[in-house]
Amino acid sequence: MNLSTSEKAVLGFTAFYTTAFAVFFIRNLNIEFIAYVGVIVFIFSLLYGTLHKTRIPTYILAGISLWGLLHMMGGSIQTTDGVLYTWRMIALFDGGGEFYILKFDQVVHAYLYAVVALLFLHLLRNYFGNTHSQLLIGFIAVTASLGVGAINEILEFIAVLTVPDNGVGGYYNTVLDIVFNFGGALFAVLGFYLFYGKIQH
């Protein structure tokens, strides 16, 4: 595989922090995040293994790598609210309990699914080109991103069933995750078309 310097840099950075956090989670017997390390390894094996065909831009690879780092940090760094994922950043809304906006977890969800939406948008535009409705392609990119988010929620549900003392959260947490997933994906796709020109019908 012939990788560019920037692609090698992203892969090396990802391998470095993934290895470091894997050691940390194994030492602390954090089964949930040990599994997530495996997920990150799988994702990057898939991305780089198909790179010669997908030609995913480096900025998207870097965006996904940054998410992996934020995810690992979110489950390990301690704050006054618990781990970083539970950090209540700004009190935009407090409905009691988990119904709180804005938390670090929500920011990471919005960011990740913005990047995932851009990934799908890139793949779809490469496949269909400009001969199909860009409005439809944008819609598919957003909903595909939400589909990946749904898989993540299923994995979290499995963690709830199998891992004692997991930090997944309950109903409000799940639904807020979905809302921020959608917001991030929609913002990214709209931003892409606003930046590169109006959507073609």
Coordinates of all heavy atoms in Angstrom, one line a residue, residues 113-165:
Y113 N -20.3 12.4 14.3 CA -21.3 12.1 13.2 C -21.3 13.2 12.1 O -21.8 13.0 11.0 CB -22.7 11.8 13.8 CG -22.5 10.5 14.5 CD1 -22.4 10.4 15.9 CD2 -22.5 9.3 13.8 CE1 -22.2 9.2 16.5 CE2 -22.3 8.1 14.4 CZ -22.1 8.1 15.8 OH -21.9 6.8 16.4
A114 N -20.7 14.4 12.4 CA -20.4 15.3 11.4 C -19.4 14.8 10.4 O -19.5 14.8 9.2 CB -20.0 16.7 12.0
V115 N -18.3 14.2 11.0 CA -17.2 13.6 10.3 C -17.7 12.4 9.5 O -17.4 12.2 8.3 CB -16.0 13.2 11.2 CG1 -14.9 12.5 10.3 CG2 -15.5 14.4 11.9
V116 N -18.5 11.6 10.1 CA -19.1 10.4 9.4 C -19.9 10.8 8.3 O -19.9 10.2 7.2 CB -19.8 9.5 10.4 CG1 -20.6 8.4 9.7 CG2 -18.9 8.9 11.5
A117 N -20.7 11.8 8.4 CA -21.6 12.3 7.3 C -20.7 12.8 6.2 O -21.0 12.5 5.0 CB -22.5 13.4 7.8
L118 N -19.6 13.5 6.5 CA -18.7 13.9 5.4 C -18.0 12.7 4.7 O -17.8 12.8 3.5 CB -17.6 14.9 6.0 CG -18.1 16.2 6.5 CD1 -17.0 17.0 7.1 CD2 -18.7 17.0 5.3
L119 N -17.8 11.7 5.5 CA -17.2 10.5 4.9 C -18.2 9.9 3.9 O -17.8 9.6 2.7 CB -16.9 9.5 6.0 CG -16.5 8.0 5.5 CD1 -15.3 8.1 4.7 CD2 -16.4 7.1 6.7
F120 N -19.5 9.7 4.3 CA -20.5 9.2 3.4 C -20.7 10.1 2.2 O -20.9 9.7 1.1 CB -21.8 8.9 4.1 CG -21.7 7.6 4.9 CD1 -21.8 7.6 6.3 CD2 -21.7 6.4 4.2 CE1 -21.8 6.5 7.0 CE2 -21.7 5.2 4.9 CZ -21.7 5.2 6.3
L121 N -20.7 11.4 2.4 CA -20.9 12.4 1.4 C -19.8 12.2 0.3 O -20.0 12.2 -0.9 CB -20.9 13.8 1.9 CG -21.3 14.9 1.0 CD1 -22.8 14.7 0.5 CD2 -21.2 16.2 1.7
H122 N -18.5 12.1 0.8 CA -17.4 11.8 -0.1 C -17.6 10.6 -1.0 O -17.4 10.6 -2.2 CB -16.1 11.7 0.7 CG -15.0 11.2 -0.1 ND1 -14.3 11.9 -1.1 CD2 -14.4 9.9 -0.1 CE1 -13.3 11.1 -1.6 NE2 -13.4 9.9 -1.0
L123 N -18.0 9.5 -0.3 CA -18.1 8.2 -1.0 C -19.3 8.3 -2.0 O -19.1 7.8 -3.2 CB -18.4 7.1 0.0 CG -17.3 6.8 1.0 CD1 -17.8 5.7 2.0 CD2 -16.0 6.3 0.3
L124 N -20.4 8.9 -1.6 CA -21.5 9.0 -2.5 C -21.2 9.9 -3.7 O -21.6 9.6 -4.9 CB -22.7 9.5 -1.7 CG -23.4 8.6 -0.7 CD1 -24.3 9.3 0.2 CD2 -24.2 7.5 -1.5
R125 N -20.6 11.0 -3.5 CA -20.3 12.0 -4.6 C -19.2 11.3 -5.5 O -19.3 11.5 -6.7 CB -19.7 13.3 -4.0 CG -20.8 14.2 -3.5 CD -20.2 15.4 -2.7 NE -19.3 16.2 -3.5 CZ -19.8 17.1 -4.4 NH1 -21.0 17.4 -4.5 NH2 -18.9 17.8 -5.0
N126 N -18.3 10.5 -5.0 CA -17.4 9.8 -5.9 C -18.1 8.8 -6.7 O -17.7 8.6 -7.9 CB -16.3 9.1 -5.0 CG -15.1 9.9 -4.8 OD1 -15.1 11.1 -5.2 ND2 -14.0 9.3 -4.3
Y127 N -19.1 8.2 -6.2 CA -19.8 7.1 -6.9 C -20.8 7.7 -7.9 O -20.9 7.3 -9.1 CB -20.6 6.2 -5.9 CG -21.3 5.0 -6.6 CD1 -20.5 3.9 -6.9 CD2 -22.6 5.1 -6.8 CE1 -21.2 2.8 -7.5 CE2 -23.3 4.0 -7.5 CZ -22.5 2.9 -7.8 OH -23.1 1.8 -8.4
F128 N -21.6 8.7 -7.5 CA -22.7 9.2 -8.3 C -22.2 10.4 -9.2 O -22.8 10.8 -10.2 CB -23.9 9.6 -7.5 CG -24.6 8.5 -6.9 CD1 -24.6 8.3 -5.6 CD2 -25.3 7.6 -7.8 CE1 -25.3 7.2 -5.0 CE2 -26.0 6.6 -7.2 CZ -26.0 6.3 -5.9
G129 N -21.1 11.1 -8.7 CA -20.7 12.3 -9.4 C -21.7 13.4 -9.3 O -22.5 13.5 -8.3
N130 N -21.8 14.3 -10.3 CA -22.7 15.4 -10.2 C -23.9 15.2 -11.1 O -24.7 16.1 -11.5 CB -22.0 16.7 -10.7 CG -21.0 17.1 -9.7 OD1 -21.2 17.1 -8.5 ND2 -19.8 17.5 -10.2
T131 N -24.1 13.9 -11.5 CA -25.2 13.6 -12.4 C -26.5 13.3 -11.6 O -27.6 13.1 -12.3 CB -24.9 12.3 -13.3 OG1 -24.6 11.2 -12.4 CG2 -23.7 12.7 -14.1
H132 N -26.5 13.2 -10.3 CA -27.6 12.9 -9.5 C -28.0 14.0 -8.6 O -27.1 14.9 -8.4 CB -27.4 11.6 -8.7 CG -27.4 10.4 -9.5 ND1 -26.4 10.0 -10.3 CD2 -28.3 9.3 -9.6 CE1 -26.6 8.9 -10.9 NE2 -27.8 8.4 -10.5
S133 N -29.1 14.0 -8.0 CA -29.6 15.1 -7.1 C -28.6 15.2 -5.9 O -28.5 14.3 -5.2 CB -31.0 14.8 -6.7 OG -31.3 15.7 -5.6
Q134 N -28.0 16.4 -5.8 CA -27.2 16.6 -4.6 C -28.0 16.7 -3.3 O -27.5 16.4 -2.3 CB -26.3 17.9 -4.8 CG -25.3 17.8 -6.0 CD -24.3 16.6 -5.8 OE1 -23.6 16.6 -4.8 NE2 -24.3 15.7 -6.7
L135 N -29.2 17.1 -3.5 CA -30.1 17.1 -2.3 C -30.3 15.7 -1.8 O -30.3 15.4 -0.6 CB -31.5 17.8 -2.7 CG -32.5 17.9 -1.5 CD1 -31.9 18.8 -0.4 CD2 -33.8 18.4 -2.1
L136 N -30.6 14.8 -2.7 CA -30.7 13.4 -2.3 C -29.5 12.8 -1.8 O -29.5 12.1 -0.7 CB -31.2 12.5 -3.5 CG -31.4 11.0 -3.3 CD1 -32.5 10.8 -2.2 CD2 -31.8 10.3 -4.6
I137 N -28.3 13.1 -2.4 CA -27.1 12.5 -1.9 C -26.8 13.1 -0.5 O -26.3 12.3 0.4 CB -25.9 12.9 -2.9 CG1 -26.0 12.1 -4.2 CG2 -24.6 12.7 -2.2 CD1 -25.0 12.5 -5.2
G138 N -27.1 14.4 -0.3 CA -26.9 14.9 1.1 C -27.8 14.3 2.1 O -27.4 14.0 3.2
F139 N -29.0 14.0 1.7 CA -30.0 13.3 2.6 C -29.5 11.9 3.0 O -29.6 11.5 4.1 CB -31.4 13.3 1.9 CG -32.4 12.5 2.7 CD1 -33.0 13.0 3.8 CD2 -32.7 11.2 2.3 CE1 -33.9 12.3 4.6 CE2 -33.6 10.4 3.0 CZ -34.2 11.0 4.2
I140 N -29.0 11.2 2.0 CA -28.5 9.8 2.2 C -27.3 9.9 3.1 O -27.2 9.0 4.0 CB -28.2 9.1 0.9 CG1 -29.4 8.9 0.1 CG2 -27.5 7.8 1.2 CD1 -29.2 8.4 -1.3
A141 N -26.4 10.9 3.0 CA -25.2 11.0 3.8 C -25.6 11.2 5.3 O -25.0 10.6 6.2 CB -24.3 12.1 3.3
V142 N -26.6 12.1 5.5 CA -27.1 12.3 6.9 C -27.7 11.1 7.5 O -27.4 10.7 8.6 CB -28.1 13.5 6.9 CG1 -28.7 13.6 8.3 CG2 -27.4 14.8 6.5
T143 N -28.6 10.4 6.7 CA -29.2 9.2 7.3 C -28.3 8.1 7.4 O -28.4 7.3 8.4 CB -30.4 8.8 6.4 OG1 -30.0 8.7 5.0 CG2 -31.5 9.9 6.4
A144 N -27.3 7.9 6.6 CA -26.3 6.9 6.7 C -25.5 7.1 8.0 O -25.1 6.2 8.7 CB -25.4 6.9 5.5
S145 N -25.1 8.4 8.2 CA -24.4 8.7 9.5 C -25.3 8.4 10.7 O -24.7 7.8 11.7 CB -24.1 10.2 9.5 OG -23.4 10.6 10.7
L146 N -26.5 8.6 10.6 CA -27.4 8.2 11.8 C -27.5 6.7 11.9 O -27.6 6.2 13.0 CB -28.8 8.8 11.5 CG -29.0 10.3 11.6 CD1 -30.4 10.7 11.3 CD2 -28.6 10.8 13.0
G147 N -27.4 6.0 10.8 CA -27.4 4.5 10.9 C -26.2 4.0 11.6 O -26.3 3.1 12.4
V148 N -25.0 4.6 11.4 CA -23.8 4.3 12.1 C -24.0 4.6 13.6 O -23.6 3.8 14.5 CB -22.6 5.0 11.6 CG1 -21.3 4.8 12.4 CG2 -22.3 4.6 10.1
G149 N -24.6 5.7 13.9 CA -24.9 6.1 15.2 C -25.8 5.1 15.9 O -25.7 4.8 17.1
A150 N -26.8 4.5 15.2 CA -27.7 3.5 15.7 C -26.9 2.2 16.1 O -27.1 1.6 17.1 CB -28.8 3.1 14.7
I151 N -25.9 1.9 15.3 CA -25.0 0.7 15.6 C -24.3 1.0 16.9 O -24.1 0.1 17.7 CB -24.1 0.4 14.4 CG1 -24.8 0.0 13.2 CG2 -23.0 -0.6 14.8 CD1 -24.0 -0.2 11.9
N152 N -23.8 2.2 17.0 CA -23.1 2.6 18.3 C -24.0 2.4 19.5 O -23.6 1.9 20.5 CB -22.6 4.0 18.2 CG -21.8 4.4 19.4 OD1 -20.8 3.9 19.8 ND2 -22.4 5.4 20.2
E153 N -25.3 2.8 19.4 CA -26.2 2.7 20.5 C -26.5 1.3 20.8 O -26.7 0.9 21.9 CB -27.5 3.5 20.2 CG -27.4 5.0 20.0 CD -26.7 5.7 21.2 OE1 -27.0 5.2 22.3 OE2 -26.0 6.6 21.0
I154 N -26.5 0.4 19.8 CA -26.7 -1.0 20.0 C -25.5 -1.6 20.8 O -25.7 -2.4 21.7 CB -26.8 -1.8 18.6 CG1 -28.2 -1.4 18.0 CG2 -26.8 -3.3 18.8 CD1 -28.3 -1.9 16.6
L155 N -24.3 -1.2 20.4 CA -23.1 -1.6 21.1 C -23.1 -1.1 22.6 O -22.7 -1.9 23.5 CB -21.8 -1.0 20.4 CG -21.5 -1.6 19.0 CD1 -20.3 -0.9 18.5 CD2 -21.2 -3.1 19.1
E156 N -23.6 0.1 22.8 CA -23.7 0.6 24.2 C -24.8 -0.2 24.9 O -24.6 -0.5 26.1 CB -24.1 2.1 24.2 CG -23.0 2.9 23.7 CD -23.2 4.4 23.9 OE1 -24.4 4.8 24.3 OE2 -22.3 5.2 23.8
F157 N -25.9 -0.6 24.3 CA -26.9 -1.5 24.9 C -26.3 -2.8 25.3 O -26.6 -3.3 26.4 CB -28.1 -1.7 24.0 CG -29.2 -2.5 24.5 CD1 -29.8 -2.2 25.7 CD2 -29.6 -3.7 23.9 CE1 -30.8 -2.9 26.2 CE2 -30.6 -4.5 24.4 CZ -31.2 -4.1 25.6
I158 N -25.5 -3.4 24.4 CA -24.8 -4.6 24.7 C -23.9 -4.5 26.0 O -23.8 -5.3 26.9 CB -24.0 -5.1 23.5 CG1 -24.9 -5.6 22.4 CG2 -23.1 -6.3 23.9 CD1 -24.2 -5.9 21.1
A159 N -23.2 -3.3 26.0 CA -22.4 -3.0 27.2 C -23.2 -2.9 28.5 O -22.8 -3.4 29.5 CB -21.6 -1.7 27.0
V160 N -24.4 -2.3 28.4 CA -25.3 -2.3 29.5 C -25.7 -3.7 30.0 O -25.7 -4.0 31.2 CB -26.6 -1.5 29.2 CG1 -27.7 -1.7 30.3 CG2 -26.3 0.0 29.0
L161 N -25.9 -4.6 29.1 CA -26.3 -6.0 29.4 C -25.2 -6.8 29.9 O -25.4 -7.8 30.7 CB -26.9 -6.6 28.2 CG -28.2 -6.0 27.6 CD1 -28.6 -6.8 26.4 CD2 -29.3 -6.0 28.7
T162 N -24.0 -6.5 29.5 CA -22.8 -7.4 29.8 C -21.8 -6.9 30.8 O -21.0 -7.6 31.4 CB -22.2 -7.8 28.5 OG1 -21.7 -6.7 27.8 CG2 -23.1 -8.6 27.6
V163 N -21.6 -5.5 30.9 CA -20.6 -4.9 31.6 C -21.1 -4.3 32.9 O -21.9 -3.3 32.8 CB -19.8 -3.9 30.8 CG1 -18.6 -3.3 31.7 CG2 -19.2 -4.5 29.5
P164 N -20.7 -4.8 34.1 CA -21.2 -4.2 35.3 C -20.6 -2.8 35.5 O -19.5 -2.5 35.0 CB -20.6 -5.1 36.4 CG -20.3 -6.4 35.7 CD -19.9 -6.0 34.3
D165 N -21.4 -1.9 36.1 CA -20.9 -0.5 36.3 C -20.4 0.2 35.1 O -19.4 0.9 35.1 CB -19.8 -0.5 37.4 CG -20.2 -1.1 38.7 OD1 -21.3 -0.9 39.1 OD2 -19.4 -1.9 39.3

